[in-house]
Amino acid sequence: MNILEVKNVHKQYSNHKAVNGVSFAVPEGCIFGLLGPNGAGKTSLIRIITGITKADQGEVNLDGGKLDARHPSKIGYMPEERGLYKKMKVGSQLMYLARLRGMSKAEASIAIDHWFNKFDIQSWRNKKVEELSKGMQQKIQFISTVIHNPRVIILDEPFSGLDPINSNLMKDEIYELKSTGTSIILSTHRMEQVEEICEYMVLINKGENVLDGAVSEVKERFKEHCFKICYKGDLPKSLPPSIQIIKQKEGEMTIQVTDDRDSNSFLDQLIRAGVYIQSFEEILPSVNEIFIRVVGETNPVA
Amino acid sequence: MEKLWLVTKREYISRVLKKSFILTTLVTPLAIALFMIIAGFLMNYEGAEQRKVAVIDTSGILGKDSLGLKNEKGLQFIKVDGKVDDYKRDESYDAILELPPISDLMTRDYEANYYSSEGILGIGVINRIEEDIEKNIFSFKRDAFGFDKDSLRSLNTTVGLERKGLKEDDEVVSSSASVIATGIGGAMGFIMYFAVFMYGMMVMKSVTEEKTNRIVEIMVSSVKPFYLLMGKILGVGLVGLTQVAIWAILIPVILTIAMWMFGMDAQEIQASQNQMADVDTKEIESQMLSVMTELKKQNWLLIIPLFLIYFLGGYMMYSSLFAAVGSATGDDLSENQSLMWPITLPVIIAFYIMFSVVQNPGSSLATWSSMFPLFSPIVMPARLAFEPPWWEIVLSVAILIASVIFFVWLSGRIYRVGILMYGKKVTLKELGKWLFYKE
């Protein structure tokens, strides 16, 4: 089931079209990458999903119904520019944000205790946010995003400014949330993260979605039928015409086939010729390559 | 609605518990008391040293037995016999006052001589000595001419202009009542002016803080911007009422304590002033009495609720406008300034109109400026004590309420766009466009 559906959403600002007919669906309990170059309309789209602004046209469905006044309790949003009330104490800040998203006082204090215990930060409760280090503040920021058990969490560049340890911690938390059935939308232009953790993705450029689907399926779509072979021994003199060698060096070559089945017969031929195969691996394009290719096509100058 | 309450509560509690708020609330009355004590002390300061003045009276105006010159702080008059030269070397006197004889009773000029080694004599001291001598000459001449004390006094008549209506239902304000009303009106207008600026700025600061903190994006994903704005306005408004209420209690209490502690009895001050001005004490007492009765006669049951209505209305209108400016500009102060003048200008104009209105409460300026919503919260409270016609009050309040709704709506439209707009220099024209942005 899809927890969030964006259907043909348009948004016009005074002088430019920020979102132009974007559609995609986020399945329940998955990690979803919202990709796009700077200025592609990611933030505008997120603001529509979080209900900060309204779409001119199109609709957004959350948990099977149209977006309405109850949506804040179902969405957790961490903007790229982090923000907390600096002079407010950590405990009362979390309580305030939780209650604004529809939790009762009792529910909220249970949730706050849970997260304080989880990160072992009980001692921060009565500290003001400005007294905490930047890393600590980011933890609080994350807790404030998820405190109300939302169904969908939108994280805008969640790893920016995190050190490797906190980065891993964030990753672990994202996986854990996913395991409880929460869907996480990552908005980013760091492709290696999408590669690593996202299952689904949508790529937006100039306000339009140019690509969407499961990450593995998208990669499949963009693959160029290349394989890398590491071997020992002498290659046969003649190769079948369906095989093209793209790169070759001592004991390693990259080939491109016109049909994936040709790779098997080629392998067969090599083995019969007495070549010792050390590894055989399909080369799939990285999300980064796909991104550059797709965005480059629509953005020839850039 | 529950969210509005949550926002209001946070805005209120986070401010009221702030150290700076507690300090300002408690220190301000103390500072006022301290200021008054210091001012009073300085005004009564005559210099530490006592000057002994030898008085040589050859004219006889000081009377036979009693010395008609008052010993004041810093000056001690001692009547001596002999000539001026006898005392010039006398170390026990600092100065000599010589009163030459009056040759002609009809003369209107009289020169007394004051000998001292000090080059300069304070103008206050000179005036007092001159006045003392004048009074003595007055009684001296009176006795010499054989005038009767009481009939002479009865030559001076105090005139009061009591106003009466032409028709029976004409409302008429007595003259002392209008003095009281001017006082009350001025005070109320001043409080309004002060409140609009101080608490309006507080709302603006709160808006810019949220914007520069970047928390606002998180907030508006949970609360509608309009509720966020209203919560702020209501929260800070309650802070204002709390502060004003505390001051209304603390300032009189502290002043009373201070006066008692420093022995500055109000009556004593009054009495010394009376002596100087030679005003009949009975007259003062009767004036005080009429002030008290006028104060009691004021229709407080009407004035106080109306004052609160104008306070809240004016505060809400202006603070929402300040919030709109804050949302558009963030923490760039110079940019704030350029957008703030359309708001500050009417406040300042209203403040000056208020001064004119307490002088002339029936003028057409008074009537029209108490209808204009940007002026009425400051002008109308100043007129309340003058008992303006009820239809003017009703109309003015109605216009004010409608304007509050309009301006809060207007500011809400600007606010919701402004808080999410970064890195753009905003002009008034731009703000106008925002009004018509779709959500």
Side-chain angles (χ1 to χ4, degrees):
Chain A
M1 200 194 116
N2 292 330
I3 185 80
L4 178 74
E5 286 170 347
V6 175
K7 288 180 185 165
N8 194 28
V9 163
H10 292 257
K11 179 76 187 178
Q12 172 90 40
Y13 285 111
S14 55
N15 42 14
H16 76 288
K17 191 121 196 177
V19 184
N20 191 5
V22 171
S23 304
F24 61 85
V26 179
E28 204 164 0
C30 81
I31 304 176
F32 188 96
L34 174 61
L35 317 182
N38 293 324
K42 285 176 299 195
T43 306
S44 303
L45 195 58
I46 289 174
R47 283 186 178 168
I48 291 168
I49 296 171
T50 50
I52 294 174
T53 52
K54 281 204 180 101
D56 299 340
Q57 202 190 317
E59 62 181 69
V60 179
N61 291 330
L62 180 69
D63 206 7
K66 271 201 157 189
L67 271 190
D68 60 25
R70 283 166 294 142
H71 75 266
S73 63
K74 292 183 177 170
I75 297 181
Y77 172 38
M78 185 165 86
E80 182 178 4
E81 298 279 354
R82 316 280 195 261
L84 291 167
Y85 289 108
K86 300 244 178 303
K87 310 252 177 222
M88 217 172 161
K89 283 178 183 160
V90 172
S92 43
Q93 177 134 256
L94 291 174
M95 172 63 82
Y96 179 52
L97 289 170
R99 296 217 55 203
L100 279 180
R101 293 173 193 145
M103 282 185 129
S104 72
K105 207 169 179 176
E107 285 170 340
S109 62
I110 291 171
I112 291 169
D113 282 341
H114 164 77
W115 284 101
F116 276 178
N117 287 330
K118 184 164 184 184
F119 286 150
D120 196 20
I121 50 172
Q122 283 290 357
S123 59
W124 297 3
R125 186 185 291 264
N126 285 320
K127 280 201 174 125
K128 284 182 183 165
V129 171
E130 61 186 357
E131 294 169 40
L132 300 178
S133 76
K134 194 141 192 186
M136 293 161 146
Q137 288 187 18
Q138 270 160 339
K139 270 186 195 156
I140 302 301
Q141 190 90 50
F142 178 76
I143 296 174
S144 75
T145 310
V146 299
I147 187 87
H148 56 298
N149 302 318
R151 302 292 310 275
V152 177
I153 294 169
I154 301 172
L155 304 174
D156 199 350
E157 297 292 354
F159 301 102
S160 77
L162 291 186
D163 63 22
I165 295 168
N166 280 318
S167 240
N168 277 336
L169 197 71
M170 175 70 85
K171 249 179 250 171
D172 293 344
E173 286 307 320
I174 291 174
Y175 286 129
E176 200 175 324
L177 285 166
K178 171 189 144 67
S179 71
T180 61
T182 315
S183 297
I184 296 104
I185 299 176
L186 293 186
S187 164
T188 180
H189 49 250
R190 298 266 305 273
M191 296 306 142
E192 70 279 5
Q193 288 159 358
V194 179
E195 188 99 54
E196 188 187 343
I197 55 181
C198 291
E199 299 149 278
Y200 294 85
M201 60 177 269
V202 59
L203 175 57
I204 292 173
N205 191 30
K206 291 181 167 172
E208 300 177 29
N209 56 337
V210 284
L211 196 62
D212 72 301
V215 172
S216 56
E217 185 258 320
V218 168
K219 283 182 151 191
E220 192 74 15
R221 220 190 297 164
F222 277 81
K223 75 178 180 184
E224 292 170 309
H225 309 281
C226 291
F227 296 88
K228 191 170 109 180
I229 305 166
C230 293
Y231 62 93
K232 265 183 189 160
D234 296 318
L235 292 176
K237 289 272 158 9
S238 66
L239 295 177
S242 60
I243 307 290
Q244 267 194 320
I245 296 178
I246 297 170
K247 250 189 335 195
Q248 190 172 19
K249 60 180 183 185
E250 185 59 42
E252 188 185 310
M253 66 176 162
T254 307
I255 58 162
Q256 188 171 34
V257 298
T258 39
D259 188 317
D260 278 359
R261 271 166 299 181
D262 291 342
S263 62
N264 266 11
S265 55
F266 179 61
L267 204 55
D268 197 34
Q269 192 190 352
L270 287 181
I271 292 167
R272 265 192 241 158
V275 178
Y276 170 60
I277 305 293
Q278 284 172 309
S279 74
F280 182 78
E281 181 190 3
E282 184 172 21
I283 300 178
L284 286 174
S286 68
V287 176
N288 198 33
E289 284 161 350
I290 297 172
F291 180 91
I292 290 170
R293 205 190 310 167
V294 172
V295 172
E297 267 168 28
T298 47
N299 256 357
V301 188
Chain B
M1 271 331 234
E2 206 205 331
K3 287 182 181 178
L4 175 63
W5 164 240
L6 281 169
V7 176
T8 308
K9 201 168 83 177
R10 193 202 86 87
E11 293 290 336
Y12 179 75
I13 290 177
S14 70
R15 275 195 178 66
V16 168
L17 293 184
K18 246 191 218 165
K19 274 189 204 110
S20 58
F21 173 84
I22 298 172
L23 272 178
T24 327
T25 312
L26 297 182
V27 166
T28 304
L30 282 175
I32 291 176
L34 197 68
F35 173 78
M36 291 187 70
I37 289 165
I38 290 175
F41 177 73
L42 288 179
M43 266 150 69
N44 288 323
Y45 183 73
E46 302 279 346
E49 66 276 30
Q50 274 276 338
R51 282 196 218 88
K52 271 191 176 172
V53 181
V55 181
I56 302 169
D57 180 19
T58 49
S59 62
I61 57 168
L62 292 183
K64 296 267 164 354
D65 1 275
S66 67
L67 184 62
L69 294 171
K70 284 194 291 286
N71 290 331
E72 305 235 12
K73 283 174 204 154
L75 285 179
Q76 191 186 1
F77 295 105
I78 297 154
K79 196 171 180 181
V80 291
D81 295 319
K83 284 190 183 127
V84 174
D85 290 338
D86 301 342
Y87 295 94
K88 275 188 175 165
R89 295 255 159 67
D90 195 334
E91 292 284 310
S92 54
Y93 295 104
D94 300 296
I96 309 156
L97 177 65
E98 187 196 17
L99 301 173
I102 296 179
S103 47
D104 180 5
L105 275 182
M106 298 302 281
T107 187
R108 297 197 61 213
D109 295 307
Y110 179 76
E111 297 267 322
N113 302 314
Y114 187 82
Y115 300 85
S116 87
S117 46
E118 285 169 283
I120 305 166
L121 205 55
I123 191 133
V125 180
I126 294 177
N127 279 343
R128 249 192 348 258
I129 297 174
E130 284 175 351
E131 272 175 27
D132 269 1
I133 298 173
E134 274 167 24
K135 274 182 230 159
N136 279 299
I137 293 178
F138 180 86
S139 3
F140 176 77
K141 285 181 174 177
R142 183 189 59 205
D143 294 344
F145 284 124
F147 291 142
D148 172 38
K149 221 182 202 173
D150 291 328
S151 45
L152 202 60
R153 180 173 283 162
S154 67
L155 285 179
N156 280 326
T157 318
T158 317
V159 179
L161 199 62
E162 198 67 24
R163 290 192 49 219
K164 305 260 189 253
L166 269 178
K167 283 169 266 159
E168 256 181 52
D169 55 349
D170 278 347
E171 290 217 31
V172 156
V173 185
S174 72
S175 59
S176 67
S178 78
V179 170
I180 297 299
T182 307
I184 297 173
M188 285 200 165
F190 192 78
I191 292 172
M192 287 301 306
Y193 171 80
F194 167 80
V196 160
F197 260 128
M198 177 159 151
Y199 301 115
M201 290 293 196
M202 215 183 253
V203 172
M204 184 168 98
K205 201 170 150 234
S206 153
V207 169
T208 56
E209 256 173 20
E210 271 184 14
K211 188 177 172 183
T212 43
N213 265 353
R214 302 272 180 165
I215 189 153
V216 74
E217 197 161 346
I218 296 170
M219 293 305 297
V220 292
S221 72
S222 318
V223 192
K224 275 207 155 62
F226 186 73
Y227 286 132
L228 193 58
L229 176 64
M230 281 311 289
K232 249 176 221 317
I233 292 175
L234 293 178
V236 174
L238 289 175
V239 171
L241 285 179
T242 309
Q243 199 163 39
V244 170
I246 292 175
W247 284 343
I249 297 167
L250 267 191
I251 290 178
V253 169
I254 289 184
L255 276 184
T256 319
I257 293 174
M259 280 183 176
W260 172 74
M261 267 172 60
F262 290 87
M264 292 212 306
D265 194 354
Q267 270 180 340
E268 204 171 275
I269 293 171
Q270 195 86 47
S272 70
Q273 279 168 352
N274 292 349
Q275 280 175 347
M276 261 160 66
D278 198 25
V279 180
D280 211 321
T281 335
K282 267 185 197 152
E283 206 172 295
I284 284 285
E285 265 170 19
S286 79
Q287 264 183 19
M288 289 288 281
L289 207 68
S290 79
V291 166
M292 292 312 288
T293 48
E294 278 303 332
L295 276 177
K296 273 182 203 146
K297 245 165 62 186
Q298 289 295 329
N299 196 353
W300 293 108
L301 280 179
L302 189 70
I303 290 180
I304 289 175
L306 277 173
F307 176 76
L308 282 178
I309 288 175
Y310 282 103
F311 181 91
L312 288 176
Y315 160 76
M316 281 183 82
M317 191 169 61
Y318 275 106
S319 62
S320 70
L321 288 172
F322 277 119
V325 167
S327 77
T329 56
D331 60 350
D332 185 344
L333 272 178
S334 64
E335 214 179 312
N336 270 350
Q337 297 290 330
S338 68
L339 284 178
M340 248 163 60
W341 66 262
I343 310 173
T344 46
L345 200 64
V347 183
I348 292 167
I349 293 176
F351 189 56
Y352 284 108
I353 293 179
M354 184 269 286
F355 275 119
S356 143
V357 159
V358 288
Q359 306 285 330
N360 204 350
S363 67
S364 58
L365 175 69
T367 311
W368 291 116
S369 57
S370 32
M371 294 303 139
F372 185 61
L374 286 173
F375 295 161
S376 66
I378 293 172
V379 174
M380 202 53 165
R383 288 181 67 203
L384 287 177
F386 295 101
E387 296 174 19
W390 65 267
W391 66 267
E392 276 188 29
I393 298 179
V394 172
L395 189 60
S396 159
V397 167
I399 294 175
L400 180 66
I401 290 173
S403 311
V404 166
I405 294 168
F406 171 73
F407 279 111
V408 168
W409 170 84
L410 184 93
S411 305
R413 306 272 306 172
I414 293 174
Y415 176 80
R416 93 216 135 104
V417 180
I419 43 171
L420 295 174
M421 198 75 81
Y422 288 99
K424 210 172 174 186
K425 196 146 175 74
V426 183
T427 57
L428 273 181
K429 201 175 142 198
E430 188 92 14
L431 289 190
K433 277 192 203 156
W434 291 0
L435 291 179
F436 305 104
Y437 272 21
K438 279 169 286 176
E439 223 179 299

